[in-house]
Amino acid sequence: MSTARDEIFASIRRSLGVTGRERPRRDVVTERIARAPAGVVPARGAVTGRTRIDLFIAQAEAALATVSEVDAPDAVPAAIAQWLRAHNLAATLRMGADPRLSAMPWGDTPLAIDEGPSDGSDLNAVSHAEAGVAETGTCVLVSGPHNPSTLNFLPDNHVIVVQAADVAGDYESVWSWLRERFGKGVMPRTVNWVTGPSRSADIEQTMFLGAHGPRRLHIVVVGGRGETPAS
């Protein structure tokens, strides 16, 4: 059974006098996908060094996230425990199987750690981002057992750890990184771009946090304080 979409495309092909299987046309499509040309990139993200980290933090905070910085991965658990305590939140945390998180000294904190996807009953979760985007203060997370996507949406409070070295200036740079890291054909099933906590102003134009996901988002930036300002 043909669909309306099939009929529309068939009509376009008839008007152009093509079938869609012509070798030159298929080669053009294959080449474009392989080359993955970038679109217009905003100038705001064209910064480097400490200036890029400062922009990332400023944009994240403008989107209602909170941010802390640590010098090394070993300092991450204490920073998260301090943030939970400062907000009078339970000393519990769920995480996936990301080896970067597993290697951190969680035993040095009072946090009770659970592993695996969330079933919706968790108050707090931590994920490790693949990258950050300075132009919007966005964290980029890929799906899989290392960082289950349920941790992005179900807990009330979400903490994201991102390496300063993985903060890019713009979205296009991050897509290039992901293609290089995973390769075509083995990209993660889902790439989530998280900018601030979940919020909505659909009802009476009143801002409501936690509308479709976490009501709090805290970002821990690792290793950015040693960056030098852009010249």
Side-chain angles (χ1 to χ4, degrees), residues 21-22 35 43 76 117 195:
R21 293 187 293 273
E22 291 82 2
R35 185 165 50 89
V76 169
T195 308

Side-chain angles (χ1 to χ4, degrees), residues 96-168:
D98 194 303
R100 294 168 294 187
L101 295 177
S102 299
M104 295 175 182
W106 300 100
D108 294 345
T109 72
L111 298 177
I113 306 297
D114 291 310
E115 292 189 1
S118 176
D119 63 3
S121 62
D122 302 291
L123 290 176
N124 314 308
V126 60
S127 302
H128 202 297
E130 287 299 309
V133 184
E135 67 168 296
T136 54
T138 298
C139 292
V140 183
L141 302 104
V142 300
S143 62
H146 286 182
N147 292 284
S149 289
T150 53
L151 303 187
N152 302 342
F153 302 108
L154 298 183
D156 273 354
N157 309 292
H158 191 200
V159 180
I160 300 177
V161 180
V162 61
Q163 297 287 332
D166 292 332
V167 175

